[in-house]
Amino acid sequence: MGNVDYDYPCSGMNNVDENHVQRVEIPPPQPFLKSLKYSMKETFFPDDPLRRFKNQPASKKFVLGLQYFFPIFEWAPSYTFQFLKSDLIAGITIASLAIPQGISYAKLANLPPILGLYSSFIPPLIYAMMGSSRDLAVGTVAVGSLLMGSMLGNVVNPNENPKLFLHLAFTATFFAGVLQASLGLFRLGFIVDFLSHATIVGFMGGAATVVCLQQLKSILGLEHFTHAADLVSVMRSVFTQTHHWRWESAVLGFCFIFFLLVTRYFSKKQPKFFWVSAMTPLASVILGSLLVYLTHAENHGVQVIGELKKGLNPPSLTELVFVSPYMTTAIKTGLIVGIIALAEGIAVGRSFAMYKNYNIDGNKEMIAIGTMNIVGSFTSCYLTTGPFSRSAVNYNAGCKTAASNIVMSIAVMLTLLFLTPLFYYTPLVVLSAIIVSAMLGLIDYEAAIHLWKVDKFDFVVCISAYIGVVFGSVEIGLVIAVAISVLRLLLFIARPRTFVLGNIPNSIIYRNIEHYSNANRVPGILILKIDAPIYFANASYLRERISRWIDEEEDRIKSTGETSLKYIIMDMSAVGNIDTSGISMLEEIKKIAERREQQLVLVNPGSEVMKKLNKSNFQKDTGGNWIYLTVQEAVRACNFVLHSSKTNPKRDESEGWNNV
């Protein structure tokens, strides 16, 4: 077969040099506390955030600590006038987008429009001091607004009890911020990773579809509309009120949607004109307001915002609701919208950091986003994070630091102080058009097609999330998507892959025979590879699967008339850890092999595995010798015995190659 591994000494095994075989060593014993400390460090501090503090004087440590929690002290000393010019342009640009979007998204959450401006004033200031991303532009988001409005609306009607609804929104924002900051402080950000890419694509697409459907109320000029967010309820509400449709509002809405989409398409094709798309929402607000004012369209079915009071954010600390039964609703809403907002903000920040080739600290981002939501809940703000659309404009506008958020905040502050009366005639249909145009960009059908091509299971997760949101609710879609993702994770753990290895001709390489068609089985030897840690969750499955591999190999040998099966080699190089259930499984496989007069051989168990095998006496039960560093060495040892006419693997060779 052309396999160099089949060369073996012509004389007895005693002629073989023992030094040619490397033993698998047992790791030196480690104190329990030291091992625990190492495990905790790898779990919660994989980035070693304390490395910069080593061997530093106390004064320097204080400065470094201040810079860690407030990155503004790190980049501000080296801030230049050139940076200021870039950030000034970027800040004004995103402010022109933030103002109309803020008003629109507050309306989406069934909150007073002024809250959208409040939420674009205080939180960006907090993030500018504490955030580690240079490109993230902070503000309200459509999906979070919809989710908050939907969940709170199931308990309190925003039309019948607007004051309680408003206070619950502040309370939910507070709990969202507490969750986000806690995840960062306790370095539990890996929890957010349970929202896979496929989950987020499907969830965001479904939420965007639902948001667009909700805008039919304003576009068609309907006064009474369903509070449900699913497709069936919305369509029923729309088509049972055809006699209430306002053609004036519909024409205005579709014209502005077309205008917004055309300018966005133009900016996408001509990146240097990014500002055209960024300025279009504010231009739409101005044009729509002028049109309504000049034509008195508010008297012909076109609904307008009405009065927005002047002034900066009033305090809302005393308005938080901490009494039953509403507190439970606020906590539940805060936890769910907090996780969604956190996932979106960190994903957007990492994306733009990758483009500019710098790193952001996920845990610091969580602390920053959490802190700005906590402070925001005290100052009449509702949920904020780093939306993609606003951050993309910030990036394309050439921002250099987080100071662009400060510029945006100042622009919003001036609007709150002097310009809010100008929004009186702003038609709601224009705000709906702004929301629709922004949401269409979140329906990432190209990503869904890519998932279908690459991983069908991920595509199922994506579509399940989308269908759950569109035909159920935002909460149902999220639960379905997370449940399917966790199920897949459990399947990976409970049903790890095992496969047969064969030898690549004229080499010492062993690969999966189903992957490499030219890989050859080794006569008399079954080589298996386990591709995952061995835990209680998969030990029973592995026992049954390995037994079936042995049965199938024996059946194959009988049908071909080859040499009988004498050795089962298990490549454990991918087994990073094992528990007592896994060790019991190995002992059972060893006994099964012994009853069939076969020998179990292990290859390259990791340090943790080797340590536990030694402590459990499994290694002693095998003589400590049928364990090899490489598949090549194991095959050579087994081949030597086979070709020395030793038919019983329990006889002389029980000492293994290592004792030669």
Side-chain angles (χ1 to χ4, degrees):
M1 295 173 67
N3 183 358
V4 296
D5 287 344
Y6 293 169
D7 296 339
Y8 50 86
C10 296
S11 56
M13 291 179 69
N14 291 333
N15 293 335
V16 183
D17 185 359
E18 182 182 356
N19 294 328
H20 290 170
V21 179
Q22 296 291 332
R23 294 179 183 274
V24 179
E25 296 185 358
I26 302 169
Q30 296 284 347
F32 172 73
L33 290 179
K34 184 176 180 181
S35 299
L36 179 63
K37 179 182 177 182
Y38 177 79
S39 298
M40 296 287 286
K41 179 181 178 182
E42 289 303 305
T43 301
F44 298 105
F45 301 96
D47 55 340
D48 193 13
L50 301 178
R51 180 173 54 88
R52 53 159 60 182
F53 294 90
K54 292 178 181 177
N55 303 320
Q56 297 289 345
S59 58
K60 182 65 174 177
K61 287 181 179 179
F62 174 78
V63 173
L64 291 174
L66 197 63
Q67 291 177 346
Y68 180 83
F69 287 102
F70 298 95
I72 190 171
F73 291 112
E74 187 173 356
W75 55 261
S78 58
Y79 199 72
T80 64
F81 181 71
Q82 191 63 37
F83 283 2
L84 176 61
K85 288 197 297 183
S86 299
D87 288 337
L88 190 63
I89 294 172
I92 294 173
T93 305
I94 57 176
S96 67
L97 179 64
I99 293 169
Q101 274 192 351
I103 296 173
S104 304
Y105 295 161
K107 168 181 163 290
L108 189 61
N110 296 318
L111 294 169
I114 193 67
L115 258 69
L117 297 181
Y118 290 162
S119 302
S120 297
F121 171 44
I122 297 294
L125 291 176
I126 303 297
Y127 184 83
M129 293 187 289
M130 301 186 67
S132 59
S133 173
R134 305 171 194 167
D135 302 280
L136 205 67
V138 170
T140 55
V141 285
V143 175
S145 300
L146 173 70
L147 192 53
M148 179 174 286
S150 172
M151 294 185 70
L152 295 180
N154 291 332
V155 179
V156 178
N157 190 312
N159 297 320
E160 296 176 0
N161 200 341
K163 188 174 181 180
L164 177 59
F165 187 88
L166 178 64
H167 294 174
L168 283 178
F170 296 151
T171 311
T173 301
F174 171 77
F175 284 114
V178 169
L179 170 70
Q180 294 165 338
S182 299
L183 290 178
L185 286 171
F186 294 106
R187 306 188 69 81
L188 298 173
F190 58 84
I191 293 176
V192 180
D193 295 335
F194 279 95
L195 292 174
S196 65
H197 173 68
T199 301
I200 293 175
V201 169
F203 176 78
M204 288 296 186
T209 302
V210 169
V211 170
C212 290
L213 291 173
Q214 288 284 329
Q215 303 318 304
L216 291 174
K217 175 186 177 182
S218 297
I219 291 174
L220 297 176
L222 300 175
E223 294 184 3
H224 303 287
F225 203 71
T226 178
H227 291 291
D230 62 283
L231 176 66
V232 176
S233 299
V234 171
M235 290 295 100
R236 185 187 296 118
S237 183
V238 168
F239 288 104
T240 55
Q241 301 185 73
T242 52
H243 53 290
H244 291 302
W245 290 8
R246 297 282 188 174
W247 68 266
E248 301 94 337
S249 181
V251 169
L252 194 62
F254 285 113
C255 286
F256 275 107
I257 290 174
F258 179 76
F259 175 55
L260 289 160
L261 292 179
V262 167
T263 54
R264 189 171 71 183
Y265 178 80
F266 173 75
S267 294
K268 189 175 180 180
K269 291 297 182 181
Q270 302 290 335
K272 63 181 180 179
F273 292 106
F274 69 90
W275 52 270
V276 173
S277 176
M279 296 290 184
T280 302
L282 185 59
S284 299
V285 169
I286 295 172
L287 289 174
S289 300
L290 286 174
L291 187 62
V292 169
Y293 177 76
L294 295 175
T295 62
H296 301 287
E298 74 274 15
N299 299 325
H300 300 281
V302 178
Q303 301 169 347
V304 296
I305 289 180
E307 184 179 357
L308 292 180
K309 60 180 180 180
K310 281 186 179 182
L312 302 181
N313 305 33
S316 56
L317 176 60
T318 57
E319 297 175 354
L320 301 184
V321 180
F322 295 121
V323 295
S324 180
Y326 301 114
M327 182 177 173
T328 304
T329 301
I331 292 175
K332 176 185 173 183
T333 304
L335 295 182
I336 294 177
V337 299
I339 288 289
I340 296 298
L342 202 57
E344 181 176 359
I346 292 178
V348 171
R350 284 176 176 167
S351 298
F352 289 110
M354 181 183 65
Y355 294 150
K356 286 190 176 180
N357 196 28
Y358 69 92
N359 295 319
I360 66 170
D361 187 324
N363 289 292
K364 286 164 66 174
E365 287 295 285
M366 293 178 196
I367 295 172
I369 293 174
T371 303
M372 73 184 189
N373 278 315
I374 292 173
V375 175
S377 69
F378 299 159
T379 54
S380 299
C381 302
Y382 78 104
L383 185 76
T384 53
T385 186
F388 179 80
S389 58
R390 206 173 298 182
S391 300
V393 170
N394 195 32
Y395 171 83
N396 289 325
C399 68
K400 298 299 181 183
T401 68
S404 58
N405 279 285
I406 299 176
V407 176
M408 176 187 71
S409 182
I410 293 172
V412 173
M413 178 190 71
L414 295 174
T415 302
L416 285 168
L417 290 174
F418 305 110
L419 303 179
T420 50
L422 299 179
F423 292 98
Y424 183 92
Y425 289 101
T426 300
L428 295 182
V429 67
V430 171
L431 300 182
S432 294
I434 292 171
I435 293 174
V436 170
S437 66
M439 290 302 95
L440 291 177
L442 291 180
I443 304 176
D444 196 350
Y445 64 89
E446 292 180 349
I449 294 172
H450 179 72
L451 290 173
W452 170 259
K453 291 179 180 178
V454 176
D455 191 323
K456 300 295 189 294
F457 199 103
D458 267 351
F459 178 78
V460 170
V461 173
C462 175
I463 293 300
S464 299
Y466 182 86
I467 292 175
V469 172
V470 172
F471 290 95
S473 66
V474 177
E475 303 98 299
I476 291 174
L478 183 62
V479 169
I480 290 174
V482 172
I484 294 178
S485 296
V486 172
L487 175 63
R488 187 182 193 188
L489 179 63
L490 293 176
L491 287 175
F492 280 149
I493 296 173
R495 294 294 182 266
R497 291 195 61 210
T498 59
F499 43 86
V500 178
L501 299 182
N503 176 250
I504 304 296
N506 301 313
S507 74
I508 59 173
I509 300 171
Y510 293 82
R511 291 293 183 267
N512 185 354
I513 60 173
E514 294 182 359
H515 186 187
Y516 293 85
S517 58
N518 63 332
N520 299 316
R521 296 174 184 264
V522 182
I525 304 173
L526 173 63
I527 310 173
L528 299 175
K529 183 167 184 177
I530 302 175
D531 207 19
I534 305 175
Y535 294 117
F536 65 92
N538 59 29
S540 296
Y541 166 77
L542 287 173
R543 181 183 61 250
E544 301 299 330
R545 189 65 185 94
I546 292 170
S547 298
R548 183 151 62 93
W549 278 123
I550 296 172
D551 292 337
E552 291 174 355
E553 182 67 10
E554 289 183 333
D555 293 341
R556 190 191 67 82
I557 287 174
K558 287 179 183 178
S559 65
T560 58
E562 294 180 7
T563 307
S564 61
L565 180 62
K566 294 298 181 182
Y567 292 95
I568 299 129
I569 298 176
M570 289 177 55
D571 183 356
M572 302 180 68
S573 55
V575 181
N577 211 330
I578 192 170
D579 66 358
T580 53
S581 299
I583 294 172
S584 297
M585 182 274 294
L586 290 179
E587 291 172 345
E588 292 181 41
I589 294 297
K590 180 176 176 292
K591 290 176 182 177
I592 292 172
E594 288 174 349
R595 287 197 295 267
R596 303 185 185 197
E597 295 188 338
Q598 298 164 348
Q599 175 66 50
L600 177 65
V601 183
L602 304 184
V603 170
N604 196 28
S607 60
E608 284 297 314
V609 177
M610 198 65 189
K611 186 191 305 180
K612 292 179 182 179
L613 292 180
N614 178 59
K615 289 182 179 180
S616 66
N617 293 323
F618 178 85
Q619 186 193 19
K620 294 179 182 177
D621 292 342
T622 60
N625 302 305
W626 288 104
I627 303 177
Y628 295 89
L629 273 177
T630 65
V631 175
Q632 175 202 6
E633 290 182 352
V635 171
R636 289 180 64 190
C638 297
N639 268 329
F640 182 87
V641 178
L642 285 173
H643 291 81
S644 296
S645 300
K646 294 187 177 183
T647 57
N648 184 359
K650 291 302 295 174
R651 197 170 150 209
D652 298 330
E653 82 267 17
S654 63
E655 295 299 318
W657 183 277
N658 289 340
N659 266 7
V660 179

